[in-house]
Amino acid sequence: MRAYRLLTGPDDSSFCHKVTEALARGWELHGSPAYAHDPATGTMRCAQAVVKEVEGDYDPALKLGDL
């Protein structure tokens, strides 16, 4: 099965660390990152999709962050 996650976070080093951790755990980048202004907080937000091939079938109870 191919698992998908969308990582999001503020435009700071914590987001870069989140993506780096996912890559270190075997996730691969999927598509280009996104960058947008959040008018509610007045800050910039980042998003990056990642995918990973894993054993087994899809289960909605699956905790993707644990893969």
Side-chain angles (χ1 to χ4, degrees):
M1 161 183 97
R2 191 166 204 191
Y4 170 91
R5 292 175 66 195
L6 181 64
L7 305 175
T8 62
D11 179 25
D12 63 19
S13 65
S14 69
F15 177 74
C16 296
H17 284 283
K18 186 184 290 191
V19 174
T20 300
E21 179 184 8
L23 295 173
R25 296 176 105 193
W27 292 86
E28 297 179 11
L29 299 177
H30 181 75
S32 299
Y35 189 65
H37 183 259
D38 180 352
T41 62
T43 61
M44 297 301 289
R45 306 272 305 163
C46 300
Q48 174 64 59
V50 293
V51 293
K52 183 178 186 180
E53 287 293 330
V54 295
E55 303 247 344
D57 295 324
Y58 174 71
D59 179 350
L62 183 66
K63 296 202 181 293
L64 298 171
D66 292 340
L67 296 178

